[in-house]
Amino acid sequence: MNQEKFDVTVVGGGPGGYVAAIRAAQLGLRTALVEREHLGGICLNWGCIPTKALLRSAEIFDHFKHAAEFGLSVEGAAFDLKKIVDRSRRVASQLNGGVRHLLKKNKVQVFDGHARLAGPGRLRVDRQDGAVEIASAHIVLATGARARAMAPVEPDGRLVWSYKEAMTPAAMPKSLLVVGSGAIGIEFASFYRSLGAEVTVVELRERILPAEDAEISDLARKAYERQGIKVLTSVSVAALEKKADSVVATLQADGRQTVVEAERVIAAVGIVGNVENLGLEGTGVRVEGTHIVTDEWCRTGEPGVYAIGDVAGAPWLAHTASHEGILCVERIAGVDGLHPLDRTAIPGCTYSRPQIASVGLTEAKAIELGHRVKVGRFPFAGNGKAIALGEAEGLIKTIFDGQTGELLGAHMIGAEVTELIQGFAIGKTLETTEAELMHTIFPHPTLSEMLHESTLAAYQRAIHI
């Protein structure tokens, strides 16, 4: 078996893996990347990017429905589901090719195949044209995660969909049951509802979007229900009966059972890390709950082996994986001035209608940790740009430490908040207080002015409410 030697070898070509490989190469390390399926990983090929293409089509279709409000006339508005899906796949394909180009540009050697640990500092890569061994002082596992299959809602590819089937439907279902109300479930619910499906969302916990601030979660539920999405919380799926072209779900809540029938079901009940068949047995790599345990520098318990991204646990976000990848290889290269990842500074986004975004502590968590908080709220209805856009539904909420003025968290619902959140993410990284935000000049008219007003509101200084 041929042996190749590298300083760093990354296993997995998703947003954590390919970014780690490129940064390692930039730092002068001889770098290889092993990918068994698609460069760009789930995010680029079947997640973050193509879903946003689908949601963009739905957003434009929604605008058609309200054209008269803007003095416009649109007659006979309709959609072609196949063309919507085809556009989404083209977007993913374009970016997939872009990743391969970037790796080649940075002289990262790509191996198409499946890698597994084969001893200290060694990997075996099984390829179509035979196996090869890689010797590498540093091995970064970036194998990602996959959808969780949980009884009785296991995807079957026809009646019960995973995210892949939900992204490439052959026909538009008239009715849909979405099990799980995290970002993935809510985004699919929003997409299909915009295109006319009757949608029911079922959540086991007491509220939808349970990772978000409770106030934002409540506003989101009301917005979705106004759109016609039926939301059921504190409900579990006890059983599924599959018919010829529909599914009958038995739902359970407070000891009582009800029945819901839908043409299709989307399972969105979380993910599990891809830790199988990596050769972890007999190594110091520890796996807990299907995820690899790491320290603050992404190191596992096995010398020279690291793990980043979804396989290393929550939060399961592409930008977390990319940041960990850079942090990991810069630590390997001995870059000065590094800091461990601050997980309270990681923004999260849900691209439904309306959008939701957040960073830092929720109000409840801040109080639980002993902070005496000051909370500011500013509604979209008080912002000139939001009114001009016809997007006056939403809220910006900020949370500060009442003694130090430290920005603890920010939570948003409304148009384009997934773009606005980065302002507060930068503020968190700079360890800003209310004083810096108050003295920052925000351009007018913009949605970003609401970040300023929400900060002012926390200190009873808001101008426009």
Side-chain angles (χ1 to χ4, degrees):
M1 186 187 306
N2 292 334
Q3 186 183 77
E4 305 253 8
K5 293 184 178 181
F6 296 91
D7 299 316
V8 174
T9 301
V10 181
V11 180
Y18 85 77
V19 168
I22 289 172
R23 183 64 184 131
Q26 289 175 346
L27 291 166
L29 301 170
R30 187 162 188 259
T31 306
L33 183 146
V34 184
E35 172 54 50
R36 69 181 182 185
E37 193 171 4
H38 300 297
L39 288 173
I42 293 297
C43 173
L44 189 153
N45 293 280
W46 291 102
C48 319
I49 302 301
T51 55
K52 303 312 161 284
L54 294 176
L55 287 161
R56 177 60 171 165
S57 294
E59 179 184 31
I60 292 172
F61 191 61
D62 273 325
H63 287 323
F64 288 164
K65 299 174 191 175
H66 302 282
E69 297 173 16
F70 297 87
L72 305 174
S73 177
V74 177
E75 296 180 3
F79 63 86
D80 185 321
L81 187 61
K82 182 179 185 304
K83 289 182 179 179
I84 289 174
V85 172
D86 286 348
R87 176 180 180 272
S88 172
R89 303 316 307 155
R90 286 197 306 273
V91 168
S93 178
Q94 178 181 340
L95 291 173
N96 174 278
V99 171
R100 188 171 292 277
H101 167 74
L102 288 171
L103 291 166
K104 182 178 180 181
K105 173 185 173 183
N106 285 278
K107 297 181 173 56
V108 175
Q109 186 165 338
V110 177
F111 292 84
D112 296 315
H114 179 85
R116 55 182 290 122
L117 298 176
R122 291 186 295 120
L123 284 167
R124 175 192 171 98
V125 180
D126 293 311
R127 304 181 297 178
Q128 286 187 344
D129 58 352
V132 63
E133 184 174 273
I134 293 177
S136 188
H138 304 281
I139 296 170
V140 181
L141 302 177
T143 51
R146 63 187 183 276
R148 182 186 299 275
M150 184 181 295
V153 198
E154 301 98 329
D156 61 14
R158 192 177 72 87
L159 295 174
V160 182
W161 291 347
S162 71
Y163 59 86
K164 284 192 176 182
E165 292 82 32
M167 290 180 60
T168 56
M172 183 70 187
K174 294 179 181 177
S175 56
L176 186 69
L177 177 66
V178 179
V179 182
S181 73
I184 293 173
I186 288 298
E187 287 180 2
F188 279 126
S190 189
F191 170 73
Y192 280 99
R193 181 57 192 152
S194 290
L195 297 186
E198 293 297 323
V199 177
T200 300
V201 174
V202 172
E203 171 56 52
L204 180 62
R205 283 170 281 192
E206 64 183 11
R207 59 187 177 88
I208 62 169
L209 296 162
E212 299 296 339
D213 184 87
E215 185 174 0
I216 299 299
S217 174
D218 184 54
L219 289 172
R221 177 173 185 159
K222 291 175 181 175
Y224 302 145
E225 289 178 334
R226 281 195 295 272
Q227 294 167 23
I229 296 174
K230 187 175 182 180
V231 178
L232 304 175
T233 52
S234 299
V235 172
S236 63
V237 180
L240 286 183
E241 178 191 353
K242 297 179 182 178
K243 296 186 174 182
D245 198 32
S246 67
V247 178
V248 177
T250 301
L251 308 180
Q252 185 165 309
D254 296 326
R256 297 190 302 271
Q257 291 188 340
T258 57
V259 171
V260 173
E261 184 169 359
E263 287 191 1
R264 297 294 182 269
V265 175
I266 295 178
V269 291
I271 64 173
V272 294
N274 293 322
V275 297
E276 301 85 0
N277 199 25
L278 293 178
L280 304 182
E281 302 79 11
T283 72
V285 178
R286 186 159 57 95
V287 176
E288 288 184 358
T290 80
H291 292 92
I292 294 173
V293 177
T294 60
D295 68 8
E296 69 271 27
W297 302 112
C298 307
R299 296 176 296 200
T300 72
E302 178 72 16
V305 178
Y306 312 77
I308 62 172
D310 287 359
V311 76
W316 301 289
L317 301 167
H319 45 279
T320 303
S322 296
H323 186 93
E324 286 179 334
I326 291 172
L327 178 67
C328 179
V329 298
E330 288 188 343
R331 177 76 173 184
I332 289 170
V335 173
D336 292 331
L338 298 180
H339 299 281
L341 174 62
D342 176 5
R343 295 187 180 275
T344 70
I346 301 172
C349 299
T350 301
Y351 298 82
S352 55
R353 185 174 63 88
Q355 294 180 7
I356 295 160
S358 60
V359 66
L361 302 178
T362 65
E363 181 180 359
K365 188 64 176 179
I367 293 171
E368 178 189 326
L369 292 174
H371 294 279
R372 294 171 57 189
V373 300
K374 287 185 179 291
V375 179
R377 298 173 178 85
F378 193 84
F380 271 55
N383 177 264
K385 179 68 177 292
I387 294 170
L389 291 174
E391 300 281 5
E393 178 185 27
L395 178 74
I396 307 293
K397 177 177 180 178
T398 47
I399 302 162
F400 296 89
D401 184 280
Q403 293 179 304
T404 66
E406 177 189 357
L407 174 65
L408 299 175
H411 307 272
M412 310 178 180
I413 180 169
E416 301 305 327
V417 296
T418 58
E419 301 292 339
L420 294 178
I421 194 63
Q422 189 59 15
F424 283 133
I426 293 170
K428 286 277 295 171
T429 299
L430 294 175
E431 299 180 345
T432 193
T433 69
E434 90 290 354
E436 288 82 17
L437 290 167
M438 285 181 180
H439 288 94
T440 298
I441 299 173
F442 289 76
H444 174 79
T446 64
L447 297 176
S448 70
E449 291 174 273
M450 290 185 287
L451 280 62
H452 192 214
E453 291 273 13
S454 180
T455 301
L456 293 170
Y459 291 83
Q460 291 75 52
R461 292 176 54 180
I463 301 298
H464 293 97
I465 52 172

